[in-house]
Amino acid sequence: MSTKRTPAAAFSDKEYKAIPMQAVQSNQVAAVGYDAATKTLALSFTRGPGHIYHYPNVEQKTHDDMMAAESKGTFFGQHIKPLAFDKFPAQEKVE
């Protein structure tokens, strides 16, 4: 029995703008950030190399609700996953 996998999304050709992110307790979501000026939600995931996904036009309340959610992964699946996003390569950590 074979499982169909969705092909990985291509990287965005938009300019990457760093959004500070904070690690969260989740089996799916590694870190979350939000830029209120551009209404951009930033996420990285626990699986994979740590690519960063920017979801534009996300209201502050949605970010706040995600941070308050008992399950960040469930909240992501229900409220964020269907939204358009820009994907950027994992960024090197600067110590």
Side-chain angles (χ1 to χ4, degrees):
M1 185 166 148
S2 69
T3 32
K4 280 191 167 185
R5 293 191 58 125
T6 306
F11 291 122
S12 176
D13 56 0
K14 293 181 181 176
E15 183 179 347
Y16 174 73
K17 179 184 178 229
I19 295 174
M21 297 170 63
Q22 93 181 55
V24 294
Q25 285 294 117
S26 171
N27 290 331
Q28 185 176 357
V29 179
V32 179
Y34 186 72
D35 180 34
T38 61
K39 292 185 175 182
T40 302
L41 180 71
L43 296 176
S44 66
F45 297 93
T46 57
R47 293 187 181 162
H51 297 315
I52 299 169
Y53 295 78
H54 284 183
Y55 294 85
N57 304 312
V58 173
E59 296 298 326
Q60 177 77 49
K61 182 177 182 339
T62 303
H63 168 257
D64 295 345
D65 290 348
M66 181 171 193
M67 295 306 285
E70 189 171 322
S71 171
K72 308 288 187 277
T74 298
F75 187 92
F76 169 78
Q78 292 174 344
H79 302 281
I80 309 299
K81 189 174 183 176
L83 302 177
F85 62 86
D86 294 303
K87 178 181 174 183
F88 298 98
Q91 303 298 302
E92 289 186 30
K93 290 188 168 52
V94 178
E95 298 293 324

